[in-house]
Amino acid sequence: MHHRTSLTEKDLADCINPIVRGWMNHYGAFYRSALYPLLERINAYLLRWVRRKYKRLRGSRKARTSWNNAVRKRPRAFAHWAWVTHAPTVW
């Protein structure tokens, strides 16, 4: 996912939202806490995508600031942001 830098944020969301929404509906009904690490991993890949697409955000601090602004401005852009909005710090 993080290698698709030619896609816009909306295109990327259109690709992954139906899949992630299906996981959340199916597995979230039975074992919701098991999904949190997976959703954080998706956020980590999204953060990598941001850092690769926008060269000015290569630094981790700038990327985090941009990430927080994106989540605050567009909280429904990605389906899994309803449950998990932060990206792991180790990625």
Side-chain angles (χ1 to χ4, degrees):
M1 174 173 46
H2 59 279
H3 293 288
R4 298 180 180 193
T5 55
S6 62
L7 297 177
T8 64
E9 182 180 343
K10 183 179 179 344
D11 294 337
L12 197 60
D14 290 342
C15 289
I16 68 168
N17 274 347
I19 298 165
V20 173
R21 196 174 291 119
W23 291 345
M24 289 169 64
N25 288 335
H26 180 73
Y27 294 108
F30 303 107
Y31 197 26
R32 188 174 187 168
S33 63
L35 276 177
Y36 289 128
L38 174 68
L39 300 178
E40 287 179 355
R41 181 70 181 237
I42 294 170
N43 281 344
Y45 278 110
L46 287 173
L47 188 58
R48 282 186 195 170
W49 176 82
V50 166
R51 292 177 75 179
R52 289 179 81 119
K53 183 166 179 76
Y54 303 105
K55 305 296 186 209
R56 68 182 187 279
L57 300 176
R58 287 277 170 112
S60 62
R61 184 174 294 167
K62 287 182 180 181
R64 289 275 171 194
T65 303
S66 173
W67 176 269
N68 292 334
N69 289 338
V71 170
R72 189 173 53 249
K73 288 179 184 176
R74 297 175 302 281
R76 300 283 182 213
F78 291 93
H80 65 284
W81 282 359
W83 291 0
V84 177
T85 58
H86 65 279
T89 57
V90 296
W91 301 101

